[in-house]
Amino acid sequence: FKAHLLAGLDWTWRHKENCPAQSVLCYAWNEHSEGGFICPTLGESPSSPPITLLLDELAAALRAWEPPSH
């Protein structure tokens, strides 16, 4: 997931003529039936701590990304 996000950010940065908005759309927050969700889900009972793996990975990728050099 992280690699795909970073590749999308890099491509957008390098192709400003094709992407003047300089924005990247991520898969839907709640596409559970298609397996593309990034929203937290409930963990195991009894405490059910939220599972935030993909959301955490997204946040880490966004924090670490730097525009590529030309």
Side-chain angles (χ1 to χ4, degrees), residues 7-38:
L9 293 171
D10 289 349
W11 187 93
T12 301
W13 181 262
R14 288 189 173 115
H15 296 91
K16 292 178 182 175
E17 68 282 357
N18 295 324
C19 190
Q22 286 293 281
S23 57
V24 173
L25 297 176
C26 290
Y27 210 94
W29 170 259
N30 62 350
E31 288 291 337
H32 292 277
S33 64
E34 295 180 13
F37 61 92
I38 58 174

Side-chain angles (χ1 to χ4, degrees), residues 36-54:
F37 61 92
I38 58 174
C39 72
T41 57
L42 287 177
E44 297 295 319
S45 293
S47 63
S48 303
I51 298 170
T52 60
L53 179 65
L54 290 176

